[in-house]
Amino acid sequence: MRPRPGGDPWARSLDAGRFRAGPEVAGAEVLLLDDTWASGASAQSAAVALKQAGAGVVAVVVIGRHVPPAPPGSIG
């Protein structure tokens, strides 16, 4: 996956032209990993690019964690 030249890889809306995938994904089952999920637009845009390149199945797994703010007066 590569961002298309001139596009905004950080945009927060679905953009089918944001990424491009090579022909090697044709017929493949692809596991797409995303390190954060705010709007979901990046993962969805990448999934569209993979499907347009011929991927058979695209699954998305999001890996992230929520770190709550430290209570006032604590060290950390």
Side-chain angles (χ1 to χ4, degrees):
M1 299 292 318
R2 293 182 186 213
R4 289 197 181 271
D8 180 3
W10 305 108
R12 295 177 63 89
S13 59
L14 177 62
D15 178 0
R18 185 180 311 167
F19 299 103
R20 63 179 172 201
E24 63 276 0
V25 302
E29 296 178 351
V30 179
L31 176 60
L32 179 63
L33 299 175
D34 194 354
D35 65 349
T36 186
W37 187 276
S39 67
S42 292
Q44 291 176 7
S45 298
V48 168
L50 288 162
K51 292 299 283 184
Q52 288 177 340
V57 175
V58 177
V60 178
V61 173
V62 180
I63 301 170
R65 69 179 190 154
H66 173 73
V67 179
S74 67
I75 299 175

